[in-house]
Amino acid sequence: HRCRRCSEVAVEVNHIEPLRGRVRVSSCLNHQTNLEALCHACHLVVTGEQFGWRTHEQAQQDRRDQRDLDEIALRMVQVRSHS
């Protein structure tokens, strides 16, 4: 089988609609229509997306964005205090 995302050799099976702690044996989420073959790298990415995990790079960008917003807010306070 080939990875559904990148066409590399698929070695893992992903639940398209994640189980998220649901009963695993009797759940319809184990039906074949809810499964896709993925390579390990794509499975990690998809799982991260499904569960809202942030990559290291995304977290760094979030911190930079927050610093920029904090700096803008500080400048606004300074401008208002001088008015």
Side-chain angles (χ1 to χ4, degrees):
H1 291 280
R2 292 288 174 185
C3 176
R4 192 165 179 194
R5 307 263 172 163
C6 73
S7 300
E8 291 292 323
V9 175
V11 294
E12 299 180 12
V13 177
N14 179 57
H15 288 85
I16 298 167
E17 173 66 29
L19 293 178
R20 296 184 191 264
R22 297 183 182 128
V23 177
R24 297 178 187 275
V25 176
S26 62
S27 172
C28 291
L29 295 176
N30 283 319
H31 193 271
Q32 196 170 10
T33 59
N34 189 46
L35 302 175
E36 63 182 345
L38 298 175
C39 69
H40 180 69
C42 287
H43 194 203
L44 288 175
V45 170
V46 169
T47 300
E49 291 169 352
Q50 289 173 332
F51 288 92
W53 297 340
R54 308 289 289 158
T55 65
H56 178 70
E57 291 79 16
Q58 289 169 322
Q60 284 181 323
Q61 184 61 51
D62 288 347
R63 285 191 288 278
R64 285 191 296 269
D65 292 346
Q66 187 59 53
R67 280 194 302 266
D68 291 345
L69 290 172
D70 291 344
E71 186 176 320
I72 291 168
L74 179 60
R75 287 181 188 167
M76 290 175 68
V77 168
Q78 291 170 341
V79 167
R80 286 184 183 156
S81 66
H82 288 94
S83 299

